[in-house]
């Protein structure tokens, strides 16, 4: 055994009450949180989590060992209790810190020799041999085993003897990479002296079925999983052996899953002999998942350095070295790819900047053109509005001109017709008066000259003809006029012509707005015309100030 490695036994960890209470509180809180964290994660994520929290599980185990040491340091402790406590502390150190396990096993041997406990001397020597094999002290282990005659041992010690012998040759074959594994036949002897129904016996039976009967092996492993609690030492062993079986049967994914569960149980129990983690790392390396595999091998190397369990160190260090080189090569390749990517990205960025600058210039130019177009469009829009306004005004003027022309044409024709009619009537009247004068019928002549019947008839004829011409020009005048009045104020005509009120507004629609001219035409006073207009505005259904304006909008007919 290398003497340079410091034993914990030589410098026992004794915590002050204050630090011990803080540590126990931390362990309690973290142990309550871990199940919830594990339940929420996949097996791989849970493994990464427990690796990150490795120090917590180590502290938990150290706290358990410290508790046993305090019991050992108590007063009035019996030799039997002292032996049992040293044995328990050695077992706690077995897969945690092998130097301390060896030291406490030696102490057990010393106590047993002091009190002449032969069976305990043998048991402690066999356990010490098993501890020696863990740190690759195979010669020391073989010497201890060779000094014991198995035929003189009782069954329980025989089982321990064959376990130590089997472990010696198994670990030696792993350390020396000896493929034939000369101690493999000792497994039958171990099984023979193992208590029937115990976990070790049932595990041995299930493992022996792997090569011969996979269905029966599955059944036996299933029964073991049903009774072995999760995250225990036994569960780590069971999951590892089941993963080995699955790997042998070709179920790679299932093997990976159970290797992961076994490794999680190892970390939770601060077990630094992690064969499952090494198997996982090898599988990941085969899949070219170098960073994750390197994380696992680094943890394995750290555990070897911390625990002194070195029988697998050759393979572990070699594997870690290979993966480290592969990781560095991957890093170099990634770095080279990154440099290429950055170079391409840099060139692309320059091109992009040029394109952005070009686009920016084009956008500025487009914006300037857009502003000019907007300005031109605004000017065109304004000009279009003015043209529309002018067109509307011209259209109104054209309508007025057409209306005026139509009125003029019609009234000129009527004017000539009336004039000729008046000339004929005046000629007839003159002839009649001349005859009366020649006949010296002065009384009748006097009566004819004083009579207004002729004038009244002619006025009636004039108004009749005016109404007829106007209604021909404005056939909807009466209807539209009434539409501007309230329902109870509408004008109702007795004949085909217009009444005096409508004639006033008819003249107004023809453009004669002067009340004096309207009064002259209708042979009435100006005040009468004013009163008629005022009264009609008061009867309107629209704003009285807009009434006459609305009258002027009554349209004429052009089908004359």
């Amino acid at each position: 055994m290398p003497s340079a490695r410091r034993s914990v036994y030589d410098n026992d960890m004794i915590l002050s009450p204050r630090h011990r209470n803080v540590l126990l509180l931390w362990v309690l809180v973290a142990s309550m949180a871990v199940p919830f964290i594990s339940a929420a994660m996949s097996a791989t994520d849970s493994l990464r989590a427990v690796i990150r929290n490795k120090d917590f599980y180590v502290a938990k185990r150290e706290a358990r060992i410290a508790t046993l040491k305090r019991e050992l340091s108590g007063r009035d402790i019996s030799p039997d209790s002292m032996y049992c406590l040293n044995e328990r502390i050695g077992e706690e150190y077995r897969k945690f810190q092998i130097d301390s396990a060896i030291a406490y096993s030696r102490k057990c041997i010393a106590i047993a020799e002091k009190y002449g406990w032969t069976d305990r001397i043998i048991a402690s020597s066999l356990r010490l041999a098993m501890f020696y094999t863990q740190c690759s002290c195979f010669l020391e282990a073989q010497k201890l085993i060779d000094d014991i005659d198995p035929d003189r041992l009782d069954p329980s010690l025989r089982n321990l003897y064959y376990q130590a012998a089997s472990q010696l040759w198994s670990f030696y074959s792993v350390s020396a990479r000896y493929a034939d594994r000369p101690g493999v036949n000792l497994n039958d002897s171990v099984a023979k002296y193992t208590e029937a129904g115990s976990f070790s016996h049932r595990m041995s039976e299930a493992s022996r079925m792997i090569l011969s009967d996979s269905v029966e092996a599955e059944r036996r492993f299933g029964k073991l999983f049903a009774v072995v609690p999760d995250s225990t030492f036994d569960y780590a062993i069971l999951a590892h052996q089941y993963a080995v079986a699955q790997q042998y049967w070709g179920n790679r994914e299932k093997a990976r899953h159970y290797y992961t569960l076994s490794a999680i149980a190892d970390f939770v129990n601060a077990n630094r002999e992690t064969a499952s983690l090494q198997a996982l790392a090898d599988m990941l390396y085969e899949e070219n998942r170098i960073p994750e595999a390197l994380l696992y091998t680094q943890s394995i190397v750290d555990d070897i350095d911390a625990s002194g369990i070195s029988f697998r160190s050759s393979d572990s260090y070699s594997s870690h070295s290979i993966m480290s080189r592969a990781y560095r090569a991957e890093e170099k390749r990634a770095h080279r790819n990154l440099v290429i990517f950055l170079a391409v990205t840099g060139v692309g960025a320059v091109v992009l900047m040029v394109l952005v600058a070009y686009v920016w210039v084009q956008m500025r130019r487009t914006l300037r053109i857009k502003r000019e177009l907007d300005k031109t469009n605004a000017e065109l829009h304004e000009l279009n509005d003015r043209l529309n306004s002018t067109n509307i005004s011209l259209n109104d003027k054209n309508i007025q001109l057409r209306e005026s022309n139509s009125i003029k044409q019609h009234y000129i024709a009527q004017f000539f017709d009336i004039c000729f009619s008046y000339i004929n009537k005046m000629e007839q009247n003159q002839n009649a008066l001349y005859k009366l004068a020649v006949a010296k019928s002065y009384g009748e002549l006097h009566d004819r000259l004083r009579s207004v019947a002729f004038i009244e008839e002619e006025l009636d004829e004039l108004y009749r003809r005016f109404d007829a011409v106007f209604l021909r020009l404005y056939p909807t005048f009466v209807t539209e006029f009434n539409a501007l009045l309230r329902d109870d104020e509408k004008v109702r005509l007795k004949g085909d012509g217009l009444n005096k009120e409508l004639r006033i507004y008819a003249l107004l629609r023809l453009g004669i707005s002067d009340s004096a001219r309207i009064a002259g035409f209708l042979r009435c006073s100006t005040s009468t015309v004013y009163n008629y207009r005022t009264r009609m505005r008061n009867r309107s259904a629209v704003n009285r100030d807009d009434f006459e304006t609305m009258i002027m909008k009554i349209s004429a007919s052009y089908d004359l």
Side-chain angles (χ1 to χ4, degrees), residues 297-357:
T297 57
Q298 183 62 57
S299 178
I300 293 168
V301 169
D302 292 342
D303 284 342
I304 291 173
D305 292 340
S307 66
I309 301 172
S310 58
F311 73 94
R312 286 194 180 94
S313 61
S314 177
D315 286 340
S316 298
Y317 285 130
S318 175
S319 176
H320 182 65
S321 176
I322 291 170
M323 292 181 190
S324 295
R325 287 196 299 272
Y327 182 73
R328 285 194 296 271
E330 185 67 26
E331 275 192 328
K332 288 181 179 178
R333 183 164 55 254
H335 178 72
R336 183 172 62 254
N337 292 337
L338 179 61
V339 170
I340 295 172
F341 172 76
L342 290 176
V344 172
T345 303
V347 173
V350 172
V351 173
L352 181 62
M353 290 175 63
V354 172
L355 289 175
V356 168

Side-chain angles (χ1 to χ4, degrees), residues 381-395:
H381 185 70
E382 183 181 356
L383 181 59
N384 188 51
D385 289 342
R386 280 193 275 172
L387 287 174
N388 288 336
S389 177
T390 303
N391 287 334
I392 292 171
S393 178
L394 289 174
N395 190 50

Side-chain angles (χ1 to χ4, degrees), residues 140-196:
E140 291 85 344
Q142 186 175 6
K143 184 176 184 307
L144 288 172
I145 293 171
D146 291 344
D147 289 342
I148 299 172
D149 184 2
D151 295 333
R152 296 182 180 181
L153 302 177
D154 60 36
S156 61
L157 288 177
R158 282 189 184 184
N159 174 263
L160 186 60
Y161 172 85
Y162 287 117
Q163 282 185 34
S166 176
Q167 181 175 302
L168 168 63
W169 292 109
S170 295
F171 285 11
Y172 175 73
S173 64
V174 172
S175 179
R177 301 181 183 179
Y178 187 62
D180 292 340
R181 295 178 181 256
V184 71
N185 294 329
L186 294 172
N187 290 333
D188 294 335
S189 299
V190 173
K192 179 179 178 180
Y193 293 103
T194 302
E195 181 183 355

